[in-house]
Amino acid sequence: DGLRSPLSIAFHVLLLAIFVYHTYSWFTIMPKTMAPVVVGGKRLSNAAITGMGLAASAVLSIALFFFLKVLAA
């Protein structure tokens, strides 16, 4: 019952927002700190690296959510 209280829900929503911001900032900085990635003789753009990182993070987060949901059942 403690996790269903308004205070707990607000706290978890705040944590989710913080983690989403951290994920975004991490993948935005990543192309600036890593060696250039060359695919087919062309350098991969910063936007492509950031987008792929965010997409991978989203897919893995959703997969983990469903895995834990099945595990808890």
Side-chain angles (χ1 to χ4, degrees):
D1 268 344
L3 289 177
R4 293 181 185 205
S5 73
L7 183 61
S8 178
I9 292 172
F11 176 67
H12 284 90
V13 168
L14 175 66
L15 285 177
L16 177 63
I18 291 169
F19 288 136
V20 167
Y21 175 74
H22 173 70
T23 301
Y24 174 77
S25 65
W26 176 268
F27 286 114
T28 301
I29 289 174
M30 190 173 66
K32 299 172 186 170
T33 60
M34 61 187 282
V37 178
V38 179
V39 176
K42 295 182 181 179
R43 184 169 187 237
L44 206 56
S45 71
N46 289 354
I49 294 170
T50 299
M52 286 188 293
L54 290 172
S57 178
V59 167
L60 291 174
S61 293
I62 292 168
L64 179 62
F65 172 77
F66 284 113
F67 174 74
L68 293 176
K69 188 173 182 180
V70 168
L71 196 63

